[in-house]
Amino acid sequence: DIYTRRRTLVLPVHEETSASTSCAPLTARYEASWSLAHYRSRTCSAAADADFESSAAMDLHDDLTVFGLSIALLAVAYAIGRVVGPKVTKCETDEQRRKQRAWILTLISSVVCSAHGVFFLGRVIKHGFGHEFSRGETVADRRVALFFLAYCIADLATGALDYIDEIDYQSGWAHHSFYGIGLCVLLYRKHTHFFMAGLIEELPTVLLAWARLAHAKELHWPFALLYFIVRILYHVVATFEVLEHSLFAFGLGLVIFRQHLWWLGAWWRRSSASAHAAGPQETRFKKTNAQLNLHTKLLICAAMVVTQSATMLHVTIEGYGRRDWVHETMTVVGLTCAWIYFSYEAVLIFVDTYTRGFIELAIKEQKVIYNISWEDPRVEREELKLSSEDVVLTISSAGCNVLDYLLEKPKHITAVDLNEAQLAVLDLKLACVAAKMPQHDFFALWGRSDPRVFTEHYRPSLRARLRRDASRRYWDSNLDELFRDNWMFCGTSGLMAFLFMLIARPLGISSALQRNLRFEDLKKGYLARLIDFGAWVVGQPLVWTYAAPLGGIPPEQLALVDRRPRVFSERIREILATRMWSRDNYFYHGYCTGQFDAFPKCPRYMSAEHYPKLLAMSDAELKERVTLFHGSWGDAEPPTSSGFTFVSLLDSMDWMPPTLLATLVKDMLSRCDRAKCRVFWRSYAPGPMLQQKNTDLFTVHSPALAQLPHREVQSYDRVGWYLSQWTATIPQDADLDALCPAGSTKTYENSLMDDALVCLAMARQALRKDKDVAAFYRNQAGRYDGFRESLLPDRDTFLKYTVPWSRVPTLLKKQPTYALVCVGCGTARDIEFVADHLKSLPRNARVALCDLSPELLAQAKLRVDALGLADRVDLIQCDITAGPAALAKLGLRAKDSAVVTCSYCLTMIPAWRAAVDAMLGLLVDDGALCLIDFTQRFDRASTLAERVYKAWFGLDGVYFNRDQVDYVAARTAPEYYAEARSRVPYTPWYPTRYLFAGRKEA
């Protein structure tokens, strides 16, 4: 048969060689003659050709036999593993058993492929890639390729039947389909020996599959090292080596390499313990969750980035020197672009390691992040009128603001922090005051970083006065090292201070600040021009995106200005040209000069004018007035039963996801004095004062905070990084528990076939000239939720936090029939998120679910019954634009609802203005209109991408219109607005969506 002929044909070696192959080894020429394709092209007779063609049928028969046997063996192995696996690894729940089943076939496939890959690697070590890629395919190559093809198909088919929830789109359907198609091409072209080069890359999959079968939650560093060696370095070399043999295989290799980098980055990010979890601090960082420290991770990551980039560059240059075709200009450009692109992707992993890990790991390792508090305490002190009767809750940070507040002698200050190191800094400053350290020594230590002062005072007088054992451990381990290296350059933010100083000192900015010069004084010199240029550079979004984390700014904060870069860029230029030059701006003075100078170029608590007020307090008075609390501000308890009256949360809420923020706010407000408490916070999100046009809608950045009576503070902030500052009060009748409404956490997923049928319905709708919305949903009612779970994101955030549930009890005093009216309710999926909370409302507070489609309402009824809400929910089939009289006949009367929501529906209503007016008409005065829907990005509505999204969705009767946002903002008092984007399933589209909550004004 043809496999035998592949093994036994030995052909004469041609002596003639070109200049480019004259140096090829004898083995290379032998393997070239061994290739069946080479034989047919040079020496086969017509009879041999005919004989070859007649054997194609036998080829197909053998392939089908191998493929069928592979399927059968995989099926048998899966059946055995399905029975034996749970007994061996002790699966206790159905979910564990389902997760385990998803990895049985993967383990089998990876073991088989890895074994062949090790054999292939041995041949490569002995003969080189050129030998293996030139020899042509063998029987073993083809059979292994057919086996892997059988695995891809078997895994998808078995998964669709037995573990559909464990197969995701990217690593399941897309991955297997891509490999399946690629293997079919290689099989057809008889190039499966190229596939053999990648089999060794299945070794990490063996570890991964075994870990998942054993229910291991974490993969440790040996896995990462093996993954990097075989799937990054080895893959790069193999991919570039195959280029001179097959352009198709080279293209496949690059696509696969991109996927490998993505997986490596995803694992690397997950490897850090997350600090973003609600609850007591002790549960956030467990000692058992071992992690490398940040410096080690950064060093490893940097080494990996450099190694990968150097390897790619080496194989590119080495290929340039020995392959004729590489001399072609376009090929050289293409290879260089590939090197630049993949090096950039690797660098992004390094950047992400730092920006996403520095806060969590600094907390866990007890490292200082902030050496000074970068929040201007004068703003809240004056705005909230801090007095001696106040009970203060604030964040410790570097202790600057705490000591500034202490000068006003409030009744009590509770300083909280997640980071033991930051509490240790404040603890040492308080110990200095308690020990009656002279002002010149205190200033020399904290303003000039004099290590001699620390050495002179720590052991004799300061250590014993430290309140916390953790503080003693911290300073015992660090001693004067932090001051010898200059305290101003200590910590994460100290890195930014050091960079500031390196730039400012040679340019003369440091001396100019010390001489009290203003920017106007420099306008005629070169320095002014350099500052102008530097302000322009730093103001570019690409620059501050990567530079800001050096100052301790988490990526979550930067995300608040990511879609509004103009505002932040203008602020940076204003800081560098104006704000930093004010005489009392000690923040920039300290970072540019590396030290503080006499007041007002230092925090007022360390100045000769104000420090004596602290010295006047006894040690007992200091302990009575200040408490240090390790944990979150949501966990801190007030010293008296009356609660906190002055809360300053700095900028801590910027990086919190909605669930965590709402939980902490609820817990904190429950410990406050509702009648007297004022809450103050800062945010990177721009506020209404920076809004320049209607389409640029700025509000408070959090839906939970939007439920409180709040206003933007207009006071001048010397720091300037925060684009808005806010204060809020606590209503007497607010339902604080409603800030975190209870509901179902159930999710819905479709099978691939279900999604395909929904996409077919969407395609039919797109081809109709007249868009029939009711008909559109009629044929997909049963599959509606699964497909739209990912198509329509953030509905849980919308229902749980954007809807102002804490204000509903107040609104119900106006005796409306409905607490909630959902327009375009669909299958009632939305109310599932808050089902338990709806049950807690008064019995006379009803819910109306309205939709145009009877089929969707039928599905809604099934869900309402299952949730136990049938006795308080009215299902109403209606057209919201029918007019007040028609709606009143159905029970939807004017001013008869506390809240009206419209979830991904307004863009499907042609007469959307009439719909908005109708919804507002249903609300009582001060009622809330809440919307979530698609729109066009406010600053890019005319760009090609936004036009494509608009046209694409318009085919299915979803019409993006930025005017909708402007209209609802004009008709209500906007309380919350946010934009984001996410990918549409099975497409490359990333359309913009918004969440909106507005109050109906009387």
Side-chain angles (χ1 to χ4, degrees):
D1 60 29
I2 193 164
Y3 294 114
T4 304
R5 286 192 286 130
R6 284 198 193 104
R7 292 194 300 270
T8 59
L9 280 173
V10 179
L11 309 178
V13 179
H14 290 267
E15 297 301 329
E16 66 274 16
T17 57
S18 65
S20 63
T21 59
S22 59
C23 296
L26 179 62
T27 53
R29 281 180 281 163
Y30 171 77
E31 61 210 24
S33 66
W34 189 36
S35 167
L36 183 59
H38 184 76
Y39 169 69
R40 290 186 62 209
S41 65
R42 296 200 175 190
T43 63
C44 272
S45 65
D49 283 339
D51 180 60
F52 179 86
E53 298 297 338
S54 67
S55 66
M58 297 182 65
D59 249 349
L60 179 61
H61 177 268
D62 290 342
D63 287 350
L64 291 176
T65 301
V66 173
F67 179 80
L69 286 173
S70 299
I71 290 288
L73 289 173
L74 287 170
V76 171
Y78 178 76
I80 295 173
R82 198 178 190 279
V83 175
V84 175
K87 297 179 180 179
V88 174
T89 58
K90 298 180 180 179
C91 297
E92 299 177 355
T93 65
D94 290 339
E95 181 180 4
Q96 286 183 335
R97 284 187 283 271
R98 186 180 66 252
K99 289 180 179 295
Q100 185 184 73
R101 293 197 297 267
W103 290 93
I104 294 174
L105 293 179
T106 301
L107 178 63
I108 296 169
S109 170
S110 59
V111 169
V112 172
C113 291
S114 296
H116 285 82
V118 171
F119 175 74
F120 181 89
L121 181 61
R123 291 180 60 86
V124 168
I125 294 173
K126 183 176 181 181
H127 302 294
F129 277 107
H131 178 280
E132 293 303 305
F133 289 152
S134 300
R135 62 174 169 76
E137 73 172 10
T138 65
V139 175
D141 299 341
R142 197 168 185 85
R143 288 178 175 174
V144 172
L146 287 166
F147 170 81
F148 195 81
L149 178 63
Y151 155 72
C152 291
I153 295 174
D155 192 34
L156 291 179
T158 309
L161 296 174
D162 208 19
Y163 45 84
I164 186 64
D165 293 340
E166 305 305 318
I167 300 183
D168 62 29
Y169 174 74
Q170 185 158 359
S171 61
W173 299 106
H175 173 272
H176 287 12
S177 299
F178 173 80
Y179 270 92
I181 295 171
L183 283 171
C184 288
V185 174
L186 293 177
L187 286 164
Y188 175 76
R189 301 175 67 173
K190 303 186 186 305
H191 285 172
T192 54
H193 54 299
F194 298 139
F195 174 68
M196 294 291 291
L199 294 181
I200 191 66
E201 297 173 21
E202 287 297 295
L203 277 174
T205 309
V206 176
L207 297 181
L208 174 63
W210 181 255
R212 294 295 181 255
L213 286 171
H215 313 303
K217 294 183 178 180
E218 292 188 21
L219 292 169
H220 299 289
W221 292 100
F223 167 81
L225 181 61
L226 180 62
Y227 186 99
F228 179 73
I229 292 173
V230 299
R231 290 208 171 189
I232 303 298
L233 299 184
Y234 170 83
H235 186 92
V236 167
V237 176
T239 298
F240 277 74
E241 286 289 342
V242 82
L243 180 53
E244 64 178 310
H245 303 276
S246 171
L247 185 60
F248 176 77
F250 175 73
L252 284 180
L254 287 183
V255 174
I256 294 170
F257 183 53
R258 175 65 184 84
Q259 183 65 39
H260 288 176
L261 273 180
W262 185 88
W263 276 331
L264 177 64
W267 175 84
W268 196 277
R269 295 179 188 100
R270 288 195 301 267
S271 66
S272 296
S274 175
H276 303 166
Q281 167 62 16
E282 288 73 14
T283 65
R284 301 183 189 206
F285 296 98
K286 297 181 179 180
K287 298 291 185 181
T288 57
N289 188 16
Q291 294 288 334
L292 297 178
N293 63 56
L294 180 59
H295 293 91
T296 304
K297 288 189 71 173
L298 289 175
L299 183 62
I300 293 173
C301 191
M304 291 168 66
V305 171
V306 172
T307 304
Q308 177 214 308
S309 183
T311 301
M312 265 192 100
L313 184 61
H314 169 73
V315 295
T316 300
I317 295 174
E318 194 266 344
Y320 179 86
R322 66 184 172 90
R323 299 174 189 139
D324 287 341
W325 54 265
V326 178
H327 291 276
E328 299 176 12
T329 303
M330 293 303 297
T331 306
V332 173
V333 171
L335 290 175
T336 304
C337 290
W339 172 69
I340 293 173
Y341 171 76
F342 287 110
S343 297
Y344 172 74
E345 289 291 329
V347 169
L348 286 184
I349 297 176
F350 175 82
V351 173
D352 233 22
T353 301
Y354 179 80
T355 58
R356 294 184 181 276
F358 73 91
I359 287 184
E360 298 95 68
L361 291 176
I363 291 173
K364 187 174 182 180
E365 296 168 16
Q366 299 184 15
K367 302 290 186 182
V368 168
I369 299 176
Y370 307 107
N371 48 24
I372 66 173
S373 298
W374 267 80
E375 292 85 12
D376 188 351
R378 183 175 65 188
V379 176
E380 61 263 37
R381 188 181 71 240
E382 295 179 355
E383 182 68 28
L384 273 60
K385 296 178 174 56
L386 179 62
S387 72
S388 59
E389 298 300 317
D390 278 317
V391 178
V392 178
L393 171 66
T394 191
I395 296 172
S396 174
S397 187
C400 299
N401 290 23
V402 175
L403 293 177
D404 186 275
Y405 300 159
L406 188 59
L407 291 172
E408 306 301 318
K409 293 189 176 181
K411 185 178 295 184
H412 189 270
I413 300 175
T414 300
V416 307
D417 213 295
L418 295 169
N419 191 349
E420 287 277 17
Q422 299 293 163
L423 288 174
V425 172
L426 175 58
D427 202 354
L428 186 63
K429 290 182 177 180
L430 290 171
C432 291
V433 176
K436 307 303 180 185
M437 179 182 288
Q439 187 273 335
H440 60 84
D441 283 348
F442 187 87
F443 185 84
L445 178 64
W446 297 105
R448 297 292 177 86
S449 302
D450 189 343
R452 293 172 298 180
V453 175
F454 180 90
T455 303
E456 179 183 347
H457 290 274
Y458 180 66
R459 293 290 182 185
S461 59
L462 298 182
R463 189 179 186 278
R465 287 180 169 85
L466 292 174
R467 306 183 186 189
R468 310 183 73 251
D469 292 336
S471 300
R472 276 184 281 275
R473 289 193 299 269
Y474 178 82
W475 290 111
D476 286 348
S477 62
N478 288 283
L479 294 176
D480 65 345
E481 179 183 352
L482 300 179
F483 298 98
R484 280 190 285 109
D485 295 336
N486 195 334
W487 175 255
M488 200 63 70
F489 303 145
C490 170
T492 305
S493 62
L495 177 58
M496 185 176 72
F498 184 70
L499 295 177
F500 259 103
M501 187 270 297
L502 286 181
I503 297 172
R505 188 165 290 177
L507 293 178
I509 296 176
S510 299
S511 61
L513 288 171
Q514 289 177 321
R515 286 182 291 140
N516 292 329
L517 295 181
R518 292 182 175 272
F519 185 68
E520 292 78 6
D521 301 328
L522 308 173
K523 280 190 174 180
K524 295 181 180 180
Y526 76 95
L527 181 56
R529 291 191 293 272
L530 283 176
I531 292 176
D532 280 337
F533 176 73
W536 178 83
V537 171
V538 177
Q540 301 307 305
L542 182 64
V543 175
W544 52 256
T545 296
Y546 292 107
L550 299 179
I553 301 170
E556 290 81 4
Q557 277 191 306
L558 289 178
L560 296 174
V561 294
D562 180 57
R563 298 176 68 82
R564 292 148 174 172
R566 170 189 57 80
V567 178
F568 195 55
S569 296
E570 290 176 354
R571 175 59 64 85
I572 290 177
R573 289 193 286 270
E574 187 269 340
I575 290 172
L576 295 178
T578 304
R579 197 173 301 228
M580 65 176 283
W581 296 92
S582 64
R583 189 169 178 268
D584 62 346
N585 198 325
Y586 64 82
F587 302 95
Y588 295 98
H589 182 94
Y591 272 23
C592 288
T593 63
Q595 65 181 41
F596 289 131
D597 287 311
F599 188 76
K601 294 182 179 181
C602 70
R604 66 173 189 150
Y605 69 87
M606 66 174 61
S607 68
E609 293 84 350
H610 295 91
Y611 181 74
K613 296 180 182 179
L614 298 178
L615 290 181
M617 301 180 191
S618 65
D619 190 5
E621 183 181 358
L622 284 172
K623 291 181 179 179
E624 182 180 346
R625 289 187 183 275
V626 182
T627 297
L628 305 183
F629 179 79
H630 180 226
S632 73
W633 42 264
D635 303 326
E637 295 285 347
T640 62
S641 59
S642 59
F644 298 110
T645 63
F646 181 108
V647 177
S648 177
L649 301 177
L650 308 185
D651 63 333
S652 63
M653 294 186 286
D654 270 1
W655 54 265
M656 296 181 182
T659 300
L660 173 59
L661 193 151
T663 302
L664 293 180
V665 168
K666 175 180 74 70
D667 294 342
M668 180 270 293
L669 293 181
S670 66
R671 300 181 176 99
C672 293
D673 184 333
R674 294 199 183 195
K676 299 178 181 179
C677 187
R678 299 94 72 205
V679 182
F680 182 89
W681 71 92
R682 296 170 169 86
S683 177
Y684 266 59
M689 288 192 295
L690 293 176
Q691 185 171 321
Q692 296 182 356
K693 52 185 178 180
N694 291 335
T695 55
D696 209 357
L697 187 58
F698 296 165
T699 65
V700 65
H701 79 284
S702 164
L705 296 174
Q707 297 188 40
L708 303 176
H710 60 275
R711 64 177 178 86
E712 188 177 6
V713 174
Q714 299 184 20
S715 296
Y716 185 80
D717 172 29
R718 286 172 288 185
V719 173
W721 289 84
Y722 308 104
L723 299 180
S724 62
Q725 302 174 97
W726 304 84
T727 182
T729 56
I730 311 172
Q732 291 291 330
D733 54 356
D735 181 5
L736 296 181
D737 289 335
L739 289 171
C740 300
S744 172
T745 58
K746 183 179 180 180
T747 58
Y748 297 87
E749 293 187 17
N750 277 355
S751 66
L752 183 63
M753 181 58 67
D754 289 331
D755 281 350
L757 292 174
V758 173
C759 291
L760 179 61
M762 296 173 70
R764 288 175 177 172
Q765 176 76 348
L767 295 174
R768 289 192 180 100
K769 292 184 178 179
D770 298 324
K771 309 299 183 185
D772 187 343
V773 176
F776 177 54
Y777 289 115
R778 186 177 301 124
N779 297 323
Q780 51 172 307
R783 306 178 185 92
Y784 183 95
D785 292 321
F787 186 79
R788 282 159 178 78
E789 202 78 348
S790 55
L791 176 65
L792 309 177
D794 277 351
R795 288 183 293 170
D796 54 343
T797 300
F798 174 66
L799 262 293
K800 291 174 73 70
Y801 306 116
T802 305
V803 174
W805 294 110
S806 63
R807 293 205 294 117
V808 168
T810 303
L811 296 173
L812 289 179
K813 293 179 180 179
K814 300 181 180 182
Q815 298 184 341
T817 301
Y818 293 110
L820 174 67
V821 173
C822 293
V823 176
C825 68
T827 62
R829 169 64 174 128
D830 287 1
I831 68 167
E832 198 167 2
F833 296 117
V834 291
D836 293 336
H837 180 71
L838 293 177
K839 295 176 184 177
S840 68
L841 294 177
R843 298 295 302 176
N844 61 342
R846 302 190 59 77
V847 175
L849 302 180
C850 311
D851 204 280
L852 191 63
S853 168
E855 287 78 15
L856 292 182
L857 285 174
Q859 294 291 322
K861 185 178 187 309
L862 295 176
R863 175 170 278 121
V864 167
D865 292 342
L867 293 172
L869 294 171
D871 60 337
R872 63 172 70 223
V873 172
D874 297 330
L875 298 168
I876 303 174
Q877 182 184 351
C878 68
D879 179 354
I880 193 64
T881 64
L887 294 177
K889 291 180 180 179
L890 298 173
L892 298 174
R893 291 177 289 275
K895 295 189 175 184
D896 203 27
S897 176
V899 177
V900 174
T901 65
C902 187
S903 174
Y904 290 105
C905 179
L906 190 61
T907 48
M908 304 190 73
I909 302 176
W912 58 267
R913 287 184 177 84
V916 171
D917 293 341
M919 288 186 280
L920 288 172
L922 298 177
L923 288 171
V924 299
D925 291 339
D926 291 326
L929 174 63
C930 303
L931 307 174
I932 181 172
D933 215 324
F934 294 113
T935 189
Q936 294 173 287
R937 180 166 168 171
F938 72 89
D939 59 343
R940 299 182 184 177
S942 60
T943 60
L944 177 60
E946 292 296 328
R947 290 179 178 179
V948 169
Y949 300 154
K950 183 175 181 178
W952 176 271
F953 278 82
L955 294 174
D956 287 314
V958 179
Y959 302 103
F960 289 15
N961 192 334
R962 185 70 199 183
D963 292 341
Q964 293 176 356
V965 175
D966 298 340
Y967 189 76
V968 296
R971 295 295 311 278
T972 64
E975 294 188 329
Y976 176 70
Y977 180 81
E979 287 186 7
R981 67 173 192 158
S982 59
R983 189 172 68 86
V984 175
Y986 309 112
T987 75
W989 312 138
Y990 280 82
T992 296
R993 67 183 182 278
Y994 71 90
L995 292 89
F996 174 87
R999 179 172 49 83
K1000 178 183 177 180
E1001 297 180 298

